[in-house]
Amino acid sequence: MKKIFILLVLSILCNSALYAQKIGYTDMEFITSKMPEYQAAQTEMKKFSDKWAKEIQDKFSEIDRMQRAYMAEEILLTDELKRKRQGEIKEKELEAGEYNSKIFGVEGLMFQKKKELMKPVLEKVQRAVTKVCSQRRLDFMFDKSSDIGMLYTNPKHDYSDYVMEELGIDPKANKAGSNDKTGKADPAAQQQSAAPAANSPKQKSTNSKLK
């Protein structure tokens, strides 16, 4: 499936070149990490995660207490009482497991809560991306931080700064002394380092970007 997607991207790029369509990319992971709304959503998610994790831990602690009590008293119990106590422990284990799946399982409560909290953040970013694409007359914009990634990224097509400006974030705030968002040297950036400064939209003034 991943190979098919890459081939599709290549096909789009080829067609874009043929019809002189404009392509850009952005780093959504970096952009959202600088948004106060995103940080607030992350903090809120952690509160729910910690609360639910404690409830689950309490359930397993209770199971552990029951097991230790049973082992200490086992020699004094009749077969009928042993079966009863074992059944109670088993029931508690199933209950704890089901609750854990309900909270942290696939599409569980934690997943739903994350969707709920992140929805307004993602919608705000999408509006900014749409506006930047319209202003800069882009036909395509890719997310550099996605799992699929990109085969090659030319820095002059990086429109992350424009999206950050649209969101009211200073694009220059956290870039001093860094080659890229991960701190690793970007081969594409090195390849473009010899090009004139005017080729990169990041080096233009803030006033000229949105003209």
Side-chain angles (χ1 to χ4, degrees):
M1 185 66 185
K2 188 171 182 179
K3 291 182 178 179
I4 294 174
F5 185 87
I6 292 174
L7 289 174
L8 179 60
V9 170
L10 287 172
S11 175
I12 291 173
L13 292 175
C14 290
N15 289 332
S16 297
L18 181 62
Y19 295 102
Q21 293 175 319
K22 196 172 180 182
I23 300 171
Y25 74 87
T26 186
D27 189 336
M28 299 305 294
E29 183 177 320
F30 179 72
I31 292 172
T32 54
S33 71
K34 304 303 177 186
M35 294 177 65
E37 299 94 332
Y38 178 84
Q39 300 295 340
Q42 290 284 82
T43 300
E44 193 68 15
M45 282 191 291
K46 188 176 185 305
K47 289 180 181 178
F48 281 98
S49 178
D50 291 344
K51 172 181 175 292
W52 283 324
K54 185 180 183 306
E55 291 177 357
I56 293 169
Q57 182 58 47
D58 288 344
K59 289 181 180 295
F60 281 104
S61 294
E62 174 64 14
I63 292 169
D64 183 62
R65 185 197 65 76
M66 292 174 66
Q67 289 175 331
R68 285 186 281 106
Y70 171 75
M71 292 176 65
E73 301 169 5
E74 183 179 10
I75 194 172
L76 303 175
L77 301 176
T78 64
D79 289 343
E80 183 179 351
L81 285 175
K82 287 179 182 179
R83 287 192 295 271
K84 181 181 178 182
R85 295 281 286 277
Q86 289 171 350
E88 291 173 348
I89 293 172
K90 186 66 175 177
E91 184 178 344
K92 289 288 184 181
E93 287 176 338
L94 291 173
E95 179 185 318
E98 289 174 357
Y99 189 70
N100 183 65
S101 296
K102 177 183 177 182
I103 301 298
F104 296 108
V106 178
E107 297 192 4
L109 291 180
M110 192 63 214
F111 174 81
Q112 298 298 332
K113 179 57 66 174
K114 182 177 181 179
K115 279 180 58 179
E116 175 189 333
L117 293 171
M118 291 303 299
K119 183 179 179 181
V121 178
L122 297 177
E123 287 178 344
K124 182 176 182 180
V125 173
Q126 184 58 51
R127 287 194 297 270
V129 168
T130 301
K131 187 172 182 180
V132 167
C133 287
S134 176
Q135 291 174 334
R136 309 307 301 184
R137 297 182 179 179
L138 296 174
D139 296 293
F140 300 98
M141 180 181 284
F142 296 95
D143 181 8
K144 184 179 178 181
S145 62
S146 69
D147 292 336
I148 299 299
M150 298 181 71
L151 300 176
Y152 173 77
T153 57
N154 188 328
K156 74 178 183 180
H157 293 306
D158 187 349
Y159 285 81
S160 297
D161 286 359
Y162 297 119
V163 176
M164 292 176 75
E165 284 186 353
E166 187 62 37
L167 291 167
I169 302 170
D170 184 359
K172 299 178 181 178
N174 294 283
K175 291 190 176 182
S178 173
N179 290 324
D180 67 1
K181 282 75 176 179
T182 62
K184 298 179 181 179
D186 185 354
Q190 291 178 343
Q191 188 176 14
Q192 293 295 321
S193 61
N199 288 339
S200 173
K202 289 186 177 181
Q203 296 174 353
K204 295 181 182 178
S205 68
T206 300
N207 292 332
S208 66
K209 284 183 178 180
L210 296 180
K211 288 183 179 180

